[in-house]
Amino acid sequence: MLYLIGLGLGDVTDITVKGLETVRKCDKVFLEAYTSLLLNSELDTLEKYYDKEITIADREMVESQSELILDPAVTQDVAFLVVGDPLGATTHTDIILRAIEKGISYRVIHNASIMNAVASTGLQLYNFGDTVSICFWKENWKPTSFVDKIIKNLKNGLHVLCLLDIRVKEIDWSKMVRGKKVYEPPQFMSVNTAVEQILEIIRDREGEDRKFLNEDTLCVGIARLGTDGQVIKSGTLKRIATEDFGKPLHSLCIVGKLHPLEGDMLRHFAVDKSDIPVE
């Protein structure tokens, strides 16, 4: 049996009772460690709390060597731990499909994720449109299509949750020597970098696009959501671009049409309350 178990957002104690009981009965435990990170718990802390040895499952293992996880699940109970909710990334749907192909039974044990905890900003979940991912730009690769998706949402009056890039154990192809893999240092996109990329793109846009998305568009910067040290700040893109959000992990919301109660909450989190319109 394969168990996909959500760990929540904060620390080792955020796992559900059902999830904890399941981990402790499993024969093998893997921790997915590239789509997100559990902020306040190191590996040894997790192993001590769960009373289990844990194997780190990086991108290469999950996407290219999934048999290391799935083969033991043919005859044993295997836990696949995911920060947040297990089905918050398409990779985890893929591993379920691979399990099905092998005739392996599976069960999902859900938990809180950024996808629902973003309501802590005061923005109502049913007012969100499509979620957007923002990737780090490189010298010769600067995708802009995510801004088109943001604008599409805003035209419909919908808020936009932007998931910011996390790069952990990514191969540095420019430094591959004689077949030896060299990895880039870990990178975690900040709210500031995300906003700067958005602003750079829209400076070159004209007409209706700039009507819906510009430096005065409201947004909410989020850091370490679900932890005791979480930070939520609202304001215009121009203002949030220079705010300090501290350590990762960060997320960003672009604000669509505001309900009065949402406006009240954003004023509570505002860097400058004059940025938030009064209905």
Side-chain angles (χ1 to χ4, degrees), residues 11-264:
D11 58 32
V12 66
T13 63
D14 280 354
I15 191 171
T16 64
V17 173
K18 182 183 293 184
L20 181 59
E21 291 175 348
T22 302
V23 171
R24 287 178 173 170
K25 78 172 187 179
C26 281
D27 302 292
K28 291 184 179 294
V29 181
F30 295 87
L31 173 64
E32 187 265 87
Y34 65 92
T35 60
S36 190
L37 300 173
L38 201 60
L39 295 175
N40 296 323
S41 297
E42 300 295 332
L43 180 61
D44 58 348
T45 303
L46 294 172
E47 291 182 326
K48 183 177 180 180
Y49 189 77
Y50 300 151
D51 194 26
K52 285 288 181 180
E53 181 178 344
I54 298 174
T55 300
I56 295 295
D58 59 17
R59 183 186 296 274
E60 183 176 4
M61 178 186 288
V62 176
E63 296 184 353
S64 303
Q65 300 174 335
S66 61
E67 67 276 4
L68 297 176
I69 301 168
L70 294 177
D71 286 354
V74 174
T75 57
Q76 297 177 297
D77 287 331
V78 174
F80 182 68
L81 310 182
V82 180
V83 176
D85 186 85
L87 299 184
T90 53
T91 296
H92 309 140
T93 303
D94 181 67
I95 202 168
I96 288 175
L97 292 172
R98 296 187 190 195
I100 292 171
E101 289 176 359
K102 290 176 174 286
I104 298 168
S105 298
Y106 74 92
R107 184 177 179 185
V108 179
I109 300 176
H110 294 283
N111 208 321
S113 78
I114 183 64
M115 303 297 287
N116 56 7
V118 69
S120 295
T121 61
L123 299 176
Q124 299 170 9
L125 292 178
Y126 54 78
N127 288 336
F128 277 82
D130 296 340
T131 300
V132 169
S133 295
I134 302 180
C135 300
F136 279 112
W137 280 351
K138 297 183 178 180
E139 185 177 353
N140 299 315
W141 187 71
K142 295 185 177 183
T144 63
S145 59
F146 69 90
V147 163
D148 297 321
K149 200 169 184 180
I150 291 173
I151 292 171
K152 180 181 176 181
N153 281 312
L154 295 179
K155 286 180 177 179
N156 290 317
L158 300 173
H159 311 312
V160 190
L161 171 60
C162 302
L163 304 179
L164 309 188
D165 205 1
I166 297 172
R167 299 183 61 82
V168 179
K169 203 176 180 182
E170 297 286 339
I171 294 174
D172 187 343
W173 296 102
S174 67
K175 296 181 180 178
M176 292 282 282
V177 179
R178 297 179 182 176
K180 183 178 180 181
K181 292 180 180 178
V182 178
Y183 296 100
E184 298 176 351
Q187 288 183 285
F188 306 94
M189 182 178 284
S190 66
V191 167
N192 314 86
T193 297
V195 172
E196 287 165 5
Q197 289 186 185
I198 291 171
L199 291 176
E200 183 172 336
I201 294 168
I202 62 175
R203 287 189 190 105
D204 296 328
R205 298 292 179 97
E206 297 179 352
E208 191 176 47
D209 283 358
R210 285 189 58 81
K211 173 184 173 183
F212 286 94
L213 185 62
N214 54 68
E215 63 183 12
D216 293 320
T217 298
L218 290 180
C219 68
V220 185
I222 307 163
R224 302 173 299 285
L225 187 61
T227 72
D228 292 338
Q230 75 176 22
V231 172
I232 300 174
K233 297 182 181 182
S234 64
T236 62
L237 284 168
K238 177 173 58 178
R239 192 181 303 281
I240 293 301
T242 59
E243 285 296 308
D244 181 8
F245 286 87
K247 296 179 180 179
L249 300 169
H250 293 186
S251 302
L252 176 69
C253 290
I254 309 298
V255 178
K257 183 178 179 180
L258 276 176
H259 183 280
L261 289 178
E262 293 177 314
D264 290 343

